[in-house]
Amino acid sequence: MGIAEIQNEKTRYLSAALQQCSVACFAAGFATPIFAQLLDVARDMSELGVARVGFGLILWVIAGFVLYSLGLHQLGNLIVDDES
């Protein structure tokens, strides 16, 4: 296994990790509060204020999108082997 293959594997692992973190951001910050409210297992979100809850949801979605975009960007760093 050459240097290019090792570097490509490291790049793929980093990309996969960033994309998994983006899914975790979506689940933790966006889906969980919505389902908790729908299932009535969380305290009333009206105590926090609609603007504050909305801001938090948007912030988590943006964080997930940024991590996902970084993962896709890392895939652009793969080394192309033209010897084949």
Side-chain angles (χ1 to χ4, degrees), residues 36-56:
Q37 185 65 26
L38 289 174
L39 299 174
D40 200 28
V41 295
R43 68 179 193 184
D44 191 13
M45 284 191 185
S46 63
E47 294 175 12
L48 297 174
V50 175
R52 189 171 179 185
V53 171
F55 178 73

Side-chain angles (χ1 to χ4, degrees), residues 22-38 45 48-66:
S22 73
V23 172
C25 280
F26 177 79
F30 188 75
T32 301
I34 290 175
F35 286 117
Q37 185 65 26
L38 289 174
M45 284 191 185
L48 297 174
V50 175
R52 189 171 179 185
V53 171
F55 178 73
L57 293 177
I58 290 170
L59 193 64
W60 277 105
V61 169
I62 290 172
F65 177 75
V66 167

Side-chain angles (χ1 to χ4, degrees), residues 6-23:
I6 293 172
Q7 186 61 37
N8 283 344
E9 281 300 311
K10 288 180 180 181
T11 301
R12 286 187 195 109
Y13 284 136
L14 177 60
S15 176
L18 288 169
Q19 290 179 359
Q20 290 171 358
C21 288
S22 73
V23 172

